[in-house]
Amino acid sequence: MMIRPTRFVTPYFVVLLCLVAALAGGCSSLNDTKLGGILGKDTDLIAFAYDITDNLVERSLPPLVPRHPEMPVVVATIVDNNDLARTSRFGRLLQEHMASRLVQHGYTVREIKLTRTVSIEPKSGETVLSRDLSKISGDLQAQAILAGTMSRSERNLYVSTRLILPESGNILASDDRQLYMDDNLLSLFNLRRQGDGDQPITEPPPPRLNRLLR
């Protein structure tokens, strides 16, 4: 007896295919899809920052000049798109990893913590973004500024970064990403405790059957 193939694909078969794809290509590739909350894994923030930086450098027009101490790149803290004076631990970590990646590629990165030309707030970081870039561009002696914003919507995080020419404010390259906010990312925004080890364990309620037999 010959079994004819069905014309319809069951949801279980779709999930099975997704599991196979996740194992083959890595679960993190699902983080920006509807399956991110189920099949995705914690975001590798270092790899995420490196990939953004690589993309910006590759797309920059005109290209950035490497190995030139007098033409540094300034990397600013990634800030909240709704309030450019605010950031988070996520924004500061992303800044550090992107700066490291630029140095690995041979570009001179200026440590702006040592200057007085950028707004430095203890609870925010080093920010250069303003609605009017002309207010800060003249103070920065750099070939480009790497800056960006982030916006959160429920469990989705949108990150937009760009390389900016200080003199004119023109954008040399841009990059846009979407992330599913896993537990680690939520903790960087103080939205969830990083671990539950310090939380007391509550006694579970008695089974319903016990109450019925009383």
Side-chain angles (χ1 to χ4, degrees):
M1 179 179 179
M2 181 178 297
I3 301 178
R4 296 182 179 179
T6 180
R7 295 172 55 189
F8 303 97
V9 179
T10 65
Y12 300 102
F13 183 68
V14 173
V15 173
L16 179 60
L17 288 178
C18 291
L19 285 172
V20 173
L23 292 175
C27 297
S28 60
S29 61
L30 299 173
N31 283 355
D32 58 351
T33 70
K34 293 182 178 180
L35 296 174
I38 302 175
L39 301 178
K41 68 176 183 179
D42 290 344
T43 300
D44 184 343
L45 191 54
I46 296 178
F48 178 74
Y50 283 9
D51 190 50
I52 290 177
T53 308
D54 293 347
N55 188 39
L56 289 173
V57 170
E58 181 180 352
R59 294 186 177 185
S60 179
L61 191 65
L64 298 181
V65 180
R67 299 176 180 84
H68 201 309
E70 297 181 359
M71 299 181 66
V73 178
V74 171
V75 182
T77 307
I78 307 301
V79 296
D80 188 333
N81 190 45
N82 296 321
D83 186 352
L84 298 181
R86 297 182 58 188
T87 186
S88 64
R89 286 186 291 168
F90 172 85
R92 290 188 289 269
L93 277 175
L94 203 59
Q95 172 194 21
E96 299 295 336
H97 296 327
M98 291 190 298
S100 295
R101 189 58 167 174
L102 286 171
V103 173
Q104 292 171 15
H105 283 312
Y107 298 99
T108 299
V109 175
R110 174 175 293 174
E111 179 54 83
I112 56 178
K113 296 183 182 70
L114 301 178
T115 70
R116 298 179 181 179
T117 58
V118 182
S119 175
I120 301 178
E121 299 294 336
K123 295 183 179 180
S124 298
E126 302 74 39
T127 59
V128 297
L129 284 182
S130 169
R131 295 302 179 188
D132 185 4
L133 274 178
S134 63
K135 294 181 179 180
I136 53 90
S137 60
D139 295 330
L140 294 176
Q141 301 298 323
Q143 63 171 312
I145 305 171
L146 200 166
T149 60
M150 54 189 168
S151 300
R152 185 173 59 86
S153 174
E154 295 182 355
R155 291 296 291 263
N156 291 317
L157 181 66
Y158 301 91
V159 180
S160 296
T161 53
R162 44 207 170 271
L163 283 172
I164 304 172
L165 193 64
E167 291 81 5
S168 62
N170 292 338
I171 297 176
L172 306 177
S174 63
D175 183 276
D176 299 297
R177 304 293 173 108
Q178 176 185 352
L179 279 178
Y180 176 81
M181 296 189 68
D182 53 47
D183 289 347
N184 286 335
L185 286 181
L186 286 173
S187 70
L188 293 177
F189 288 87
N190 295 323
L191 297 176
R192 177 173 298 184
R193 291 183 181 274
Q194 195 162 7
D196 297 328
D198 298 332
Q199 297 298 314
I201 300 176
T202 58
E203 182 179 354
R208 291 185 179 180
L209 183 59
N210 291 357
R211 296 198 299 266
L212 294 176
L213 294 178
R214 287 180 178 177

